[in-house]
Each structure stands twice: as C-alpha cells, then as structure tokens.
C-alpha cells in the first residue's frame, strides 16, 4: 500500500467505531435523561430513540449540544468527551440552548429596568431573581482575568463547556464557525424544500451546484471563525505583514484538510446517508438517488472558489475581546451606544449572554436572498458573479451585522 493510500485510510477511519463511550441524552423539554453507550453518532441515535420511545426515522432525528450546536458529523461527534449531555430533537421540535431559556425568561422585561436599583426591587419576584442571577453576575466588570487565555489560567471560564478547546480564542472561533454553518444548513434546507428544487430538474441541477459551491467556499474561508477570535483582531496602525493572517487557523478548522480534493472532502464530511431498519425500500432508493445527485454536483461543480494567499482578518472584537452592537439593520449605528457592548472573554456569565447576540442579515436570507437564488435557477441563468454576490450576502460581513438581541429586528426588512 502506498504512503498516500495509507494516510488516506487512517484519516477515513473513525476512532469512535473502536471505542465505546457513554453519553447522556435528553429530550428537547429536558424532562427525561437516559444513558447511552455507543461507538458512533448513528448508534447513539438508534439507542437513544429506543430508550426515549422515539419512533421517527433516524434521518429525521437530530442531535444537539446544550449550547444549541448541531452534531451532524461522525468526525465531530468523536471529539466529544464521555458523559457529554446531548439533546435529541424530533421533527418540528425546537431546541432551546441555556441562553435561549434565559432570554425567554427576560424577553418581556426591560433589561435596563432590571439594573435600576430600588425600582428593580419593587418589580422582581423571588423566582425571577433566581433566574436572572447569572445576569447580575455578568454586570460585574472585573477585568482581572480578561486577558487570560488558557483553560489552566482561567478554569472557571471553561466550567460546564463541553469542549476540548484549550483556549478561549479557540472556543469562540469554533462557536462562530458553528453559527455560519447553521446559516449553511438553513440555506440548504430551504432550497431543498422549495417547489423549484422538487419539480424543475434543470433548476435542481443548478441549485445542487450552488450548494456545492457554498460548501467549498466556506471551507476555503474557514467558516469565518475569526469573526469572534480576538487573536485575529486588527492591531491599531498595523499594515501589510503586521496584520493578522486569517489563513493561519486552529487545528479544528476544516481548512486543515485542504490537501484533500473537494470531492473527497464531501464524501468524508458531507451529510451522511441515514439508514433505519423500518425505512421502506422506496425511501432508501430515493435517498441513494439524492446522494448520487449531490456527489455528482460536488465533483462537477462549474464554479471556482476564490483563493487568496493572505486574507487580512476581520475580527469583530478588539484585542481585549470586546464586541459592540452594530445596531438595527436599518440604522447606521446602535442607538443604545455604550450599553450594548460585551466581552465574552471576561467571564463565563458574559460568554453565556454573548450567545444571545445575533448575526442579523440586512438583506434577509429566507425572504429575499434564497427566493432570488431560486428564481435565477428556474430561469437557468445563474452566473458565477451572481453566485458570489449571493454567497457574500449569506455568510460575510457585507450583509451580516452582529447585534444585541434588543436590536435584532425579526420583522420583514423593507
């Protein structure tokens, strides 16, 4: 066996298949929790469904971390520590992270009012006081440990985080990648659920090419993990070679696999074909045909990804890790000024609160961008320039604004 073939064999072997690990699995309502010993993500789904009396097809069941991150790859699943708590989601159910639950508690409350001293005492109930204890702690602006980075230096920052990341920068880098990947998943889901994709074969092929391009370009762009990475923040006055280079990335970044060709990358890390004993033969055939279409599109995608030797980082925080709200989509800046700023590197509490901040599309993804892509595909005239424009509006700061939850307007942007 050649050296290259041997390296490829080692890469494609999934360690979890040889190692039995135990995990805790709960439902979206957190009402039941069961223990599952398994060697793979699919085995975990099968056993968890059996223990929680879930009868859905495994292809319709998803697994999430407590922070809301979707686990969709065997390779990523293998990196989880034993006894990690996971959430099993059935179709139509909504997964709420710990931060989402905190927000739901506060969503009808003016947060500024909570800090108003004596007036807050007149308003808060004992129960609500308990729920916002984490918020009160976050208001403590102790910067003594903000500059610390590693798990050994600031262990309380990492308390409760189910991650192998050794530094704050690596953890937030990965969290930002997960957010961008989430936009990719939602984009693919909306495309594949459209009538254009289902009924127009010519448009379907164009859309599969577009999906393949989005995946390849995001891999090249590191899934923009450096947006949250303070080590990639621009140094004031730095120019040229002194500026941080985003091509230097962490080991967990997909770009570390750049020596693989794109077709092989998708076979290894693309959506895994799901299987279940009770799935009928027709459905299995449809799934195989669908996967075959995706593989063909990935191997023959006519769009070329944009490559650059050096890409200057565009971190959204300063060197200390402080982020500032960009304001509502139709405003030039945040109307709340200094009140809407946060440093998730400062404390565990601010890290939790930071997960309630959102990337807001000025031009809306679901209402405008994807319908425009579907229209182009149905007309059969999607060109590379337009696809680059759509990509930038979906995933880059050209159209994304980091905003405090109060400034995130979910109504139609007109």
């Amino acid at each position: 066996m050649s050296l290259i073939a041997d390296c490829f064999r080692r890469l494609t072997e999934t360690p979890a298949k040889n190692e039995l690990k135990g995990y805790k699995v709960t439902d979206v309502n957190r009402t039941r929790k069961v223990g599952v010993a398994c060697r793979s993500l699919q085995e975990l789904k099968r056993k968890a469904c059996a223990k929680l009396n879930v009868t859905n097809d495994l292809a319709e069941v998803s697994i999430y971390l407590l922070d809301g991150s979707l686990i969709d790859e065997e390779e990523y699943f293998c990196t989880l520590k034993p006894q990690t708590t996971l959430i099993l989601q059935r179709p139509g159910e909504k997964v709420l992270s710990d931060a989402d639950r905190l927000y739901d508690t506060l969503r009808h409350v003016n947060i500024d009012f909570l800090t108003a001293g004596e007036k807050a005492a007149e308003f808060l109930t004992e129960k609500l006081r308990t729920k916002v204890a984490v918020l009160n702690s976050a208001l403590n602006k102790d910067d003594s440990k903000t500059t610390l980075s590693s798990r050994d230096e600031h262990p309380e920052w990492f308390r409760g985080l189910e991650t192998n990341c050794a530094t704050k920068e690596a953890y937030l880098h990965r969290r930002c990648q997960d957010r961008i990947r989430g936009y990719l998943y939602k984009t693919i889901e909306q495309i594949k659920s459209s009538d254009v994709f289902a009924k127009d074969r010519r448009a379907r092929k164009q859309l599969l090419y577009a999906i393949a391009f989005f995946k390849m370009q995001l891999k090249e762009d590191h899934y923009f993990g450096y947006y949250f990475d303070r080590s990639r923040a621009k140094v004031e006055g730095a120019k040229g070679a002194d500026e941080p280079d985003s091509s230097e990335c962490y080991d967990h970044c997909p770009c570390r696999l750049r020596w693989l060709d794109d077709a092989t990358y998708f076979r290894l890390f693309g959506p895994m074909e799901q299987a279940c004993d009770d799935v009928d033969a027709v459905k299995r055939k449809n799934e195989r045909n669908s996967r075959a279409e995706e593989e063909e599109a990935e191997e023959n995608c006519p769009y070329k990804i944009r490559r650059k030797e050096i890409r200057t980082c565009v971190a959204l925080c300063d060197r200390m890790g402080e982020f500032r709200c960009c304001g509502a989509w139709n405003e030039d800046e945040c109307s709340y000024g200094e009140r809407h700023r946060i440093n998730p590197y400062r404390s565990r509490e601010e890290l939790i609160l930071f997960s309630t901040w959102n990337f807001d599309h000025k031009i809306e993804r679901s209402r405008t961008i994807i319908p425009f892509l579907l229209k182009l595909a149905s007309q059969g005239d999607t060109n590379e320039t337009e696809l680059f424009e759509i990509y930038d509006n979906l995933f880059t700061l050209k159209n994304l604004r980091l905003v405090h939850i109060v400034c995130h307007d979910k109504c139609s942007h007109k």
Side-chain angles (χ1 to χ4, degrees):
M1 181 181 293
S2 68
L3 178 60
I4 294 179
D6 184 59
C7 291
F8 182 82
R9 177 184 59 79
R10 293 181 181 179
L11 178 64
T12 56
E13 287 178 347
T14 305
K17 292 181 179 179
N18 301 319
E19 183 179 356
L20 189 67
K21 293 182 181 180
Y23 301 93
K24 299 173 184 177
V25 184
T26 184
D27 56 17
V28 293
N29 296 319
R30 318 285 179 92
T31 57
R32 294 187 59 194
K33 183 181 290 186
V34 298
V36 174
C38 60
R39 293 182 172 84
S40 69
L41 179 59
Q42 290 307 303
E43 184 180 2
L44 178 133
K45 284 186 178 183
R46 186 173 64 254
K47 291 185 176 180
C49 285
K51 290 190 175 185
L52 294 173
N53 297 321
V54 175
T55 58
N56 299 83
D57 176 7
L58 293 188
E60 301 174 340
V61 173
S62 300
I63 300 295
Y64 288 81
L65 290 174
L66 291 180
D67 65 4
S69 299
L70 174 66
I71 307 298
D72 69 326
E73 297 175 350
E74 291 286 352
E75 286 70 23
Y76 186 37
F77 176 75
C78 294
T79 67
L80 300 180
K81 294 182 178 179
Q83 301 307 313
T84 295
T85 299
L86 303 170
I87 301 173
L88 185 145
Q89 177 206 43
R90 292 185 292 182
E93 293 181 332
K94 182 178 181 181
V95 174
L96 293 179
S97 67
D98 291 340
D100 292 328
R101 290 181 166 228
L102 173 62
Y103 171 63
D104 281 347
T105 302
L106 299 174
R107 62 184 303 179
H108 299 301
V109 179
N110 185 325
I111 295 180
D112 292 333
F113 185 61
L114 295 181
T115 64
E118 294 181 356
K119 291 184 179 180
E122 297 172 1
F123 177 79
L124 297 176
T125 65
E126 289 298 325
K127 185 176 181 181
L128 188 56
R129 279 199 180 109
T130 300
K131 292 183 177 180
V132 300
V134 64
L135 178 62
N136 294 334
S137 299
L139 297 177
N140 177 15
K141 302 301 183 181
D142 179 9
D143 278 324
S144 62
K145 296 186 177 181
T146 303
T147 58
L148 302 180
S149 176
S150 71
R151 186 186 295 268
D152 292 338
E153 293 173 326
H154 198 172
E156 59 269 30
W157 191 92
F158 289 88
R159 179 167 51 85
L161 298 183
E162 295 170 341
T163 177
N164 292 324
C165 294
T167 66
K168 298 176 183 178
E169 292 79 8
Y171 179 78
L172 282 161
H173 188 106
R174 179 66 196 215
R175 293 282 70 79
C176 187
Q177 288 181 325
D178 289 342
R179 293 201 191 194
I180 299 299
R181 286 165 63 88
Y183 291 135
L184 173 64
Y185 299 146
K186 290 177 181 178
T187 295
I188 294 174
E189 181 181 4
Q190 186 174 350
I191 289 174
K192 290 188 174 181
S193 63
S194 68
D195 288 340
V196 174
F197 187 85
K199 300 177 181 179
D200 188 333
R201 291 186 62 84
R202 183 183 64 171
R204 181 188 183 99
K205 186 173 183 179
Q206 292 297 315
L207 292 169
L208 287 171
Y209 283 151
I211 291 172
F213 166 74
F214 292 157
K215 292 179 179 179
M216 289 186 291
Q217 189 63 53
L218 282 173
K219 176 191 166 195
E220 175 69 15
D221 290 330
H222 308 276
Y223 288 84
F224 301 103
Y226 44 86
Y227 284 165
F228 289 175
D229 180 358
R230 68 178 177 184
S231 70
R232 302 305 196 246
K234 187 173 183 179
V235 179
E236 191 68 27
K239 293 183 179 180
D242 294 329
E243 295 179 335
D245 177 9
S246 66
S247 63
E248 298 177 2
C249 210
Y250 291 108
D251 290 337
H252 60 251
C253 182
C255 302
R256 287 295 186 181
L257 301 170
R258 64 192 314 133
W259 63 272
L260 292 174
D261 62 272
D262 293 319
T264 303
Y265 173 83
F266 286 117
R267 281 196 292 271
L268 291 176
F269 303 102
M272 304 292 290
E273 182 176 352
Q274 312 284 350
C276 185
D277 293 340
D278 60 353
V279 178
D280 57 53
V282 175
K283 188 170 184 177
R284 287 198 299 270
K285 181 179 179 180
N286 289 338
E287 289 175 348
R288 287 195 296 270
N289 291 341
S290 176
R291 183 58 192 150
E293 284 184 315
E294 292 177 10
E295 289 180 349
E296 180 182 359
E298 291 158 3
E299 292 176 356
N300 301 304
C301 180
Y303 306 114
K304 302 302 181 183
I305 62 176
R306 294 175 291 189
R307 300 183 186 274
K308 296 181 181 179
E309 292 299 323
I310 293 180
R311 291 176 302 281
T312 302
C313 82
V314 285
L316 296 176
C317 60
D318 61 21
R319 298 293 291 180
M320 287 290 288
E322 182 173 273
F323 295 82
R324 293 173 180 263
C325 175
C326 294
W329 66 274
N330 56 351
E331 297 179 357
D332 294 332
E333 58 185 20
C334 179
S335 60
Y336 290 84
E338 294 295 306
R339 286 182 292 173
H340 281 186
R341 59 178 181 171
I342 192 170
N343 191 334
Y345 290 89
R346 179 182 287 117
S347 66
R348 179 175 178 272
E349 291 77 19
E350 284 198 69
L351 175 64
I352 293 173
L353 289 176
F354 183 61
S355 63
T356 68
W357 285 48
N358 294 275
F359 272 130
D360 190 13
H361 287 87
K362 291 182 289 184
I363 302 173
E364 296 175 283
R365 176 186 56 80
S366 60
R367 294 188 179 105
T368 303
I369 302 175
I370 302 306
F372 177 64
L373 174 60
L374 295 175
K375 180 180 178 181
L376 290 177
S378 64
Q379 294 173 346
D381 59 357
T382 307
N383 59 55
E384 194 167 67
T385 300
E386 290 170 325
L387 198 60
F388 282 144
E389 182 77 10
I390 292 171
Y391 173 87
D392 287 340
N393 284 326
L394 284 172
F395 307 114
T396 77
L397 297 182
K398 178 179 180 179
N399 191 44
L400 291 177
R401 295 165 71 94
L402 183 66
V403 297
H404 187 285
I405 189 68
V406 172
C407 292
H408 188 197
D409 183 3
K410 294 186 178 180
C411 296
S412 180
H413 296 184
K414 295 181 179 179

